[in-house]
Amino acid sequence: MLLSVRDLEAGYGGAHVLRGVSLDVAPGEIVLLLGANGAGKTTTLRAISGVVAARAGSITFDGRLFSGPPEARAARGLGHVPEGRGILAGLTVAENLDLGTVLRKDGAAAVAADRANLLELFPMLKPRLKESAAALSGGQQQMLALARALLARPRLVMLDEPSFGLAPSVVDELLGLVQRLRTEGTTFLMVEQHAAALAIADRAYVLAGGRTVLEAPAAELAGDDRLVRAYLGAH
Ligand code: ATP
């Protein structure tokens, strides 16, 4: 497994939010994290990336314990596109992309080559490089956030509701990119309520009350109307 989470507990001050989350992500998979509002999906991603401290349980990444501050986990190959995207609106598109490269240790030429490749994959960003990131549409900001995360060459990318606020055609474009990136070797753990995400995912976990209560192949969930109604938007 690339990522293994066992009996994870975490929270905020007196709020005990995660009470036993366990999940696995194998290399090359797209795994979805589903659940009602407040179930703990965002907190799970935050605990994996180290933004929120784990109170109990274990996280292993590539076979070794995953701990320490977010920068240390990013350096081991974790990318996290948070809820709200985390784009710095005061910077240009190019400067936002640069932020994705700060942990790279493989030299300017490799970074420049990756950057050029990514701009082929995200052509909508190319003509906007010198513009303020704030001037981008929501969909373009989501693409920028994903491109920035990819510039760090992560092994696993966590996306927190990337479809939020996007038009259906943009959601399809984004999910298509995720699918393509997977074929090129990136692994994904996604919080995503958009029903279209089931079509590109391999497996899904359902969280309820801070616990994982179900794990199933995405294709099986897609055929379960009750689950789809409970956990996925009918888009
Ligand atoms: P949503 O779809 O609403 O984002 P979620 O499944 O991602 O739901 P979380 O955002 O992980 O859920 O939140 C789980 C619980 O933790 C909620 O009850 C929420 O109110 C609480 N919570 C989230 N962030 C904080 C915080 N910074 N401080 C205190 N409580 C928080």
Side-chain angles (χ1 to χ4, degrees), residues 123-170:
M124 71 299 285
L125 298 178
K126 232 178 182 173
R128 317 290 300 266
L129 286 171
K130 291 186 179 140
E131 288 179 42
S132 159
L136 299 182
S137 68
Q140 289 164 341
Q141 288 190 5
Q142 189 63 56
M143 304 292 181
L144 174 58
L146 177 55
R148 184 178 66 183
L150 291 166
L151 268 174
R153 283 212 171 183
R155 301 187 57 195
L156 172 70
V157 176
M158 301 195 298
L159 303 177
D160 198 341
E161 276 210 85
S163 79
F164 188 79
L166 305 185
S169 63
V170 183

Side-chain angles (χ1 to χ4, degrees), residues 12 15 17 36-43 46 83 161:
Y12 308 90
V17 175
N37 286 349
K41 305 177 297 292
T42 293
T43 305
R46 287 182 180 151
E83 205 172 26
E161 276 210 85

Side-chain angles (χ1 to χ4, degrees), residues 1-4 25 27 60-66 76 155:
M1 285 298 155
L2 182 53
L3 175 73
S4 286
V25 183
T60 54
F61 189 80
D62 203 16
R64 286 192 295 127
L65 191 67
F66 208 40
R76 281 186 57 191
R155 301 187 57 195

